[in-house]
Amino acid sequence: MTTTSDSVTTLAALDIGTNSFHLVVARLLDSGFEIVTREKETVRLGHGGGDMKELSADAMDRGISSLLRMQRIATSHGAKVRAVATSAVREADNADVFLTRARREAKVDVEVISGLEESRLIHLGVLQAVPAFDQRLILVDIGGGSTEVLVGERGETLAARSFKLGAVRLTDRFFPGGTISKESVRDCRSYARSILATFEREVEDFGFDVAIASSGTAETIARMIHAARDDTPLHTFNRFEFTVNELQAVIDPLLKKKTSDDRRSTPGLDPGRADIIVAGTLVLESVADIFGIKRFVYSEAALREGVLLDTIARLQGGALHHLRDVSRRSIRGLAERCDDDLTHSAHVAALALQLFDSTEPQHGLPTDAREYLEAGALLANVGLVISHSKHHLHSYYVIRNSELTGLTDAEIEIIAQIARYHRKSAPKASHAEFGRLSPEDQRLVKTLAGILRVAIGLDRSHDGRVRSVMAQMRNDRLVIEAVAKRGKEISLELYTANDRSDLLEEVLGKRVGIVAAPLPTA
């Protein structure tokens, strides 16, 4: 792609994998990108138990048909496509036939990337979804044709290896047709571990703080584990955590189902993966065993998001956008898109954090609650993009259905509920979403919403005339002192904040009064 940054506002990244094709279309922002749409198709481009030396005619036909559909989707959004192909294409002796057809028939120029470049791009993508920039991580991405393992820190690759251990490849080699036996499972395990062991010393030398798993096999495992834990649906599985014991608890019953048909009804399993899931789970089991991993974090982002970031860097020049605080940038980006008075929301957030800090002895909430409060304050008014009437309800909907990277499903729910209860009725157990929260999270939401209501009242005029606040106990009463900007009248702010303090009084079990701070003596 040769377009300059001045003419590009929307990009599309296309991951041409062995098992599936993944498209993501994104709009460029000052702080990164906003996902517009995603598309996935199971194509099964590559096959073979050893080297995938040839793309079959049928597979190429399926691939070109998928590329045509993906290109139409990208074009409908005005997006230029950058497409990368992985193991199935890079190993095929007749890859040039597919690449020529892609260019002529689908108008898509496909880059064939190496396994190490694939690892680097996956690493970039994962850091968009999991806030692990300052941690040393081990990343595992199990694809259809290969498995990439990388050790990295602060966006840099310390060590990486691409193994020919994909779920499709191993299924063709050990479980043709998706049928398994004790002997074939034993042989597959032994083979995977022997291949992975060649990287064991390097991983051991570098060490790691967190293990991240990405792509289809990892997502499927996360869904099966969640189904075994709970039947409550999740909006996102990003940052879903599971232990090796939970992984084993998924593998054991799978191995009792000898055929793909037997496995299709497994809770959480996409029936289209019933044939290749055993091979995929055995690879992840082997990774955990060889590298001493006890717990995994699932990343929703992977190669396609890394391709987007890399493309943005090529277009704009210079370094990639900073990857340290992905969730904060994601929240800020949503606020900028949907809130036409962001200055007010940012000031309210600052006042709310001051209240949180000065009432810590009373509420006793954990430190991460402070971040939820800031996010809820910044996003409280995003529902105005739909309608002013009942905009607190719309804010919940907008937050819940936006792609907020770097946050778990549970964290997004808490933030959405804080925003939802910033005005009007207080949280009630009869409210369906609130009623589904644990007692601890219900108290968290009520407390933070109570603080936020007072902070919003203190900026009733939307001009920042209350400069700062400080709370302290006087006898059995919590007194919040509001410091006015020089020459500003804050009687309306004091009245509104006091009028909205009932929820905070309820959760703290204290009478609350908001007063003007004494003027400094000359």
Side-chain angles (χ1 to χ4, degrees):
M1 184 168 59
T2 59
T3 318
T4 65
S5 60
D6 291 339
S7 61
V8 173
T9 58
T10 310
L11 294 172
L14 178 54
D15 166 10
I16 299 173
T18 300
N19 185 55
S20 304
F21 288 12
H22 294 264
L23 176 77
V24 59
V25 181
R27 185 177 299 113
L28 270 63
L29 305 172
D30 290 339
S31 56
F33 57 82
E34 170 197 6
I35 301 298
V36 175
T37 190
R38 297 179 188 273
E39 192 72 23
K40 172 189 172 184
E41 288 190 21
T42 301
V43 176
R44 296 285 170 94
L45 185 62
H47 269 289
D51 288 338
M52 296 183 177
K53 291 186 176 295
E54 185 169 314
L55 301 175
S56 71
D58 286 348
M60 283 197 276
D61 287 343
R62 291 194 302 271
I64 297 303
S65 295
S66 181
L67 287 183
L68 284 164
R69 288 188 288 271
M70 299 289 190
Q71 177 67 287
R72 283 196 291 268
I73 292 168
T75 300
S76 72
H77 292 283
K80 297 287 185 178
V81 177
R82 181 180 174 197
V84 299
T86 56
S87 58
V89 179
R90 69 175 169 247
E91 293 179 35
D93 292 337
N94 61 341
D96 58 324
V97 178
F98 176 75
L99 298 176
T100 300
R101 288 189 62 188
R103 185 165 54 252
R104 289 179 178 173
E105 298 175 36
K107 311 303 181 191
V108 176
D109 286 315
V110 179
E111 301 172 38
V112 182
I113 58 175
S114 69
L116 293 182
E117 175 65 0
E118 185 178 351
S119 298
R120 183 186 75 84
L121 292 172
I122 293 168
H123 186 199
L124 288 179
V126 162
L127 290 177
Q128 278 291 305
V130 179
F133 185 85
D134 290 317
Q135 294 178 283
R136 182 162 295 182
L137 60 85
I138 183 170
L139 168 63
V140 183
D141 186 285
I142 302 169
S146 64
T147 290
E148 276 63 49
V149 182
L150 175 145
V151 180
E153 187 174 17
R154 302 177 67 82
E156 297 295 328
T157 299
L158 301 178
R161 193 77 65 84
S162 180
F163 301 98
K164 294 181 179 180
L165 293 174
V168 172
R169 190 193 302 266
L170 293 186
T171 297
D172 288 346
R173 178 166 183 160
F174 295 100
F175 315 120
T179 301
I180 67 172
S181 66
K182 287 184 179 180
E183 293 75 19
S184 62
V185 168
R186 180 198 61 211
D187 291 345
C188 182
R189 272 186 173 134
S190 177
Y191 179 76
R193 293 180 186 192
S194 67
I195 297 296
L196 291 165
T198 61
F199 194 45
E200 183 178 8
R201 177 63 63 86
E202 283 184 81
V203 173
E204 185 178 303
D205 288 345
F206 282 110
F208 56 89
D209 303 312
V210 60
I212 301 172
S214 60
S215 292
T217 291
E219 180 184 1
T220 303
I221 290 169
R223 289 181 178 276
M224 290 191 292
I225 289 172
H226 175 69
R229 286 184 193 170
D230 188 357
D231 60 0
T232 304
L234 297 181
H235 288 251
T236 175
F237 277 81
N238 191 51
R239 289 182 60 197
F240 182 90
E241 295 190 26
F242 57 91
T243 66
V244 171
N245 289 339
E246 288 179 305
L247 170 63
Q248 201 61 56
V250 161
I251 293 174
D252 291 342
L254 277 179
L255 299 184
K256 295 177 182 177
K257 300 176 179 180
K258 301 303 181 185
T259 69
S260 299
D261 287 341
D262 294 337
R263 292 188 289 272
R264 289 188 204 284
S265 60
T266 304
L269 174 62
D270 176 358
R273 284 187 169 268
D275 57 339
I276 64 172
I277 188 58
V278 170
T281 56
L282 291 178
V283 173
L284 194 62
E285 175 196 61
S286 299
V287 165
D289 180 60
I290 293 297
F291 303 127
I293 298 169
K294 304 300 182 186
R295 174 181 292 269
F296 288 97
V297 179
Y298 169 67
S299 168
E300 187 176 54
L303 178 58
R304 56 261 181 205
E305 287 81 9
V307 171
L308 278 177
L309 269 176
D310 189 64
T311 306
I312 292 169
R314 293 185 184 193
L315 292 173
Q316 296 177 342
L320 289 165
H321 291 285
H322 207 291
L323 297 169
R324 174 179 281 108
D325 202 347
V326 293
S327 59
R328 185 179 297 273
R329 287 192 291 105
S330 177
I331 290 162
R332 186 80 184 190
L334 178 59
E336 289 172 350
R337 294 192 297 276
C338 299
D339 186 350
D340 61 3
D341 193 358
L342 190 55
T343 300
H344 161 67
S345 297
H347 186 62
V348 165
L351 294 176
L353 294 180
Q354 292 171 18
L355 285 172
F356 180 93
D357 293 340
S358 59
T359 58
E360 193 278 331
Q362 286 72 48
H363 61 66
L365 294 176
T367 304
D368 55 4
R370 193 177 191 274
E371 298 178 10
Y372 303 152
L373 173 60
E374 182 180 23
L378 287 171
L379 299 179
N381 290 322
V382 296
L384 289 169
V385 75
I386 298 175
S387 170
H388 187 278
S389 175
K390 298 183 179 180
H391 76 264
H392 55 297
L393 301 178
H394 300 318
S395 291
Y396 174 87
Y397 175 84
V398 170
I399 295 166
R400 210 62 192 87
N401 291 280
S402 296
E403 297 217 16
L404 293 174
T405 55
L407 296 166
T408 66
D409 188 79
E411 288 172 331
I412 294 171
E413 180 67 31
I414 287 171
I415 291 167
Q417 293 208 27
I418 294 166
R420 182 253 185 271
Y421 291 113
H422 82 273
R423 65 192 290 269
K424 299 294 185 179
S425 65
K428 296 181 178 66
S430 59
H431 295 165
E433 292 82 7
F434 184 75
R436 284 197 290 266
L437 296 178
S438 68
E440 294 78 13
D441 285 344
Q442 286 185 355
R443 179 177 180 272
L444 176 70
V445 168
K446 290 180 72 172
T447 303
L448 298 181
I451 291 173
L452 180 55
R453 288 179 179 219
V454 172
I456 290 171
L458 288 169
D459 199 39
R460 185 66 181 83
S461 300
H462 286 229
D463 62 1
R465 59 182 56 209
V466 171
R467 190 178 67 198
S468 62
V469 290
M470 174 60 71
Q472 56 183 312
M473 291 299 299
R474 293 182 187 168
N475 298 322
D476 289 332
R477 183 169 178 251
L478 180 69
V479 177
I480 298 171
E481 292 187 346
V483 179
K485 285 184 177 178
R486 184 180 297 275
K488 293 292 186 179
E489 167 61 45
I490 63 170
S491 57
L492 176 61
E493 277 65 31
L494 296 177
Y495 173 82
T496 307
N498 276 295
D499 186 54
R500 299 180 182 181
S501 64
D502 53 342
L503 181 58
L504 186 59
E505 287 187 334
E506 177 190 339
V507 293
L508 296 183
K510 308 286 184 185
R511 290 173 55 233
V512 174
I514 299 99
V515 302
L519 294 173
T521 57

